[in-house]
Amino acid sequence: MGSNELTDPQSLKISLLCRGISVSPAAEAALTGDGTTPMSVHEYPTTGGLTLVLEDDTYVNAPFDEPIKQAPEATLLFAQQEQPPFRVLFSRQEFPARVLPLPGFLSARDSRGRPVTEAVFSHADRARLSPIGGCHNNCDFCDSPLRNYELRPAEQLVEALSIAAMDTALPVHHVVISGGTARQSDYGYFGEVCQSILRNARMPVDVMMSAQLGTDLIDQLCSWGAYGFSINMELYDEEVARRIAPQKRGSGLQEFRASVERAVQNTGGSGRVRSLLLVGLEPEEQTLKGVEFLAELGCDPVLSPFRPAPGTPLASQPGPSYELLESVYLRSLDIVDRYGVKLGPRCIPCMHNTLNFPDRSGAYYYSRDLRCWS
Ligand code: SF4
């Protein structure tokens, strides 16, 4: 198979990302215990689907009840007597699948009676902690600004992580500190909370942060033991970025470049610094220029298919087509090859909501196998 051809499971993943999946009544009954538990929780725009594991370690979050699900080509089937019991019917072929469960702490409360999911949620093998509820910025594709801006105390986040870390339903092997962007007056708070989490987490911790927070914080986070960074560009095209993500674009790409360079210097790159680009909100050529911009800095570009989120200004904007996703993926592979980086993320389960697949280069891994955190 040439480098410009997709395997069948890869084609299926791309179809699921842009067209979603139908769930047969038998599969729905199996997933929900005959209607007693939810099939998913919509707490983040790109994680509200079913997380499936297909052949070749292909992880995909497949929307089943979101606006993007239009005329799905794939159907999830269930037959108790089959091994495995879940299969995806696509292009007249059946693909064996596993469906990852939801975390086991959905109804848990912490020692002060707060819902644990207020501070943490797990997807695949990663726990996401959110020090900031809501967001100071206002990007048109994101639903964080729809929630109240609030600061969560460090003790709440650390306790929530300790509960998530003991979850046996969906075991976690690493952490990302994410959530909304802090107001400038709260930058100090954000740093202190990150320090507490890094001191207490017994597993690798990545920090997803806006370039606005500055390079000094990146130095500090590294000295406190941060494993990696996600400094998301979102959009490369200047006009589109200024129109739909004006605060995040801030003073321009120079500020962004400085933060990515500092993170790469501190961590040595090698997949520890990545940056997300949305696919489907700007011309393809501009996304590819963004891929090249990031790759040249030693940063792994992460291709994230745009998924319209209810309640946001872009809720009725169509998602990207199959053809666009396939083209951007294949053309991006050529670009990252030239610069010696990879498409991110490197963690295989965390690829579930991104346009990426593990290859045989040895660059991709399961975070449960990581041993190198300080
Ligand atoms: S900065 Fe991030 S969290 Fe805030 S609105 Fe933009 S994309 Fe959402």
Side-chain angles (χ1 to χ4, degrees):
M1 174 155 305
S3 65
N4 59 350
E5 288 177 58
L6 298 176
T7 65
D8 288 345
Q10 289 175 342
S11 297
L12 170 55
K13 173 169 175 173
I14 293 180
S15 173
L16 292 170
L17 286 172
C18 63
R19 293 180 184 141
I21 192 167
S22 294
V23 181
S24 70
E28 181 167 350
L31 290 169
T32 63
D34 286 321
T36 56
T37 55
M39 276 214 284
S40 187
V41 176
H42 294 280
E43 45 75 60
Y44 198 74
T46 60
T47 57
L50 296 172
T51 304
L52 307 178
V53 188
L54 308 169
E55 292 163 294
D56 304 330
D57 291 332
T58 304
Y59 283 71
V60 55
N61 189 274
F64 61 91
D65 64 351
E66 299 171 41
I68 200 168
K69 183 199 140 190
Q70 287 178 5
E73 297 177 316
T75 304
L76 184 66
L77 307 173
F78 176 81
Q80 184 75 60
Q81 69 280 9
E82 302 278 349
Q83 205 47 251
F86 286 102
R87 286 171 186 265
V88 179
L89 178 63
F90 173 69
S91 278
R92 287 179 283 183
Q93 260 184 278
E94 286 193 10
F95 294 82
R98 275 192 300 132
V99 184
L100 296 191
L102 292 169
F105 51 81
L106 289 185
S107 55
R109 292 186 175 264
D110 67 12
S111 58
R112 299 193 189 189
R114 295 166 295 206
V116 170
T117 53
E118 200 176 271
V120 69
F121 208 93
S122 304
H123 297 284
D125 73 343
R126 185 176 72 183
R128 189 187 68 236
L129 289 169
S130 304
I132 310 278
C135 184
H136 178 53
N137 292 343
N138 209 340
C139 304
D140 284 358
F141 47 79
C142 179
D143 65 355
S144 286
L146 304 178
R147 294 186 277 276
N148 288 337
Y149 182 91
E150 57 184 13
L151 308 181
R152 304 221 165 86
E155 53 79 17
Q156 181 183 8
L157 294 149
V158 169
E159 185 180 356
L161 178 57
S162 71
I163 294 168
M166 289 189 302
D167 185 24
T168 53
L170 192 61
V172 300
H173 298 292
H174 63 144
V175 179
V176 62
I177 299 173
S178 178
T181 298
R183 291 184 186 129
Q184 193 163 8
S185 55
D186 295 328
Y187 286 2
Y189 155 81
F190 182 76
E192 285 166 22
V193 170
C194 288
Q195 188 178 16
S196 288
I197 295 168
L198 287 159
R199 194 184 297 138
N200 288 284
R202 301 296 306 146
M203 54 185 97
V205 179
D206 286 350
V207 182
M208 186 177 281
M209 59 177 275
S210 166
Q212 292 168 273
L213 273 71
T215 51
D216 289 350
L217 178 60
I218 291 170
D219 294 343
Q220 287 177 315
L221 290 165
C222 287
S223 72
W224 297 330
Y227 180 79
F229 292 89
S230 188
I231 304 171
N232 294 338
M233 176 187 267
E234 316 282 0
L235 299 153
Y236 180 78
D237 186 278
E238 192 66 18
E239 186 278 321
V240 177
R242 296 237 170 259
R243 181 160 41 83
I244 66 178
Q247 300 94 350
K248 184 143 198 184
R249 177 50 56 102
S251 50
L253 284 180
Q254 291 318 311
E255 181 183 56
F256 178 83
R257 176 197 292 272
S259 290
V260 171
E261 282 177 341
R262 185 66 67 88
V264 171
Q265 279 165 13
N266 270 308
T267 60
S270 303
R272 290 187 172 203
V273 183
R274 60 186 187 273
S275 181
L276 184 150
L277 281 165
L278 287 164
V279 183
L281 290 178
E282 63 184 348
E284 177 178 356
E285 297 307 319
Q286 292 296 86
T287 303
L288 293 169
K289 282 184 185 168
V291 169
E292 181 147 16
F293 179 94
L294 295 168
E296 198 172 5
L297 296 176
C299 169
D300 281 4
V302 176
L303 301 171
S304 175
F306 164 64
R307 199 143 139 182
T312 63
L314 297 184
S316 55
Q317 173 108 352
S321 67
Y322 181 98
E323 291 71 24
L324 175 65
L325 293 186
E326 179 182 39
S327 173
V328 169
Y329 171 68
L330 294 173
R331 295 177 71 191
S332 295
L333 283 184
D334 290 338
I335 296 170
V336 295
D337 272 358
R338 282 209 306 279
Y339 290 95
V341 296
K342 305 292 282 186
L343 289 179
R346 302 274 180 124
C347 172
I348 293 167
C350 291
M351 292 180 184
H352 66 99
N353 56 354
T354 69
L355 186 52
N356 198 12
F357 305 93
D359 60 23
R360 296 183 198 284
S361 65
Y364 296 113
Y365 55 75
Y366 279 86
S367 291
R368 63 178 178 238
D369 298 326
L370 282 177
R371 292 284 178 271
C372 42
W373 72 94
S374 51

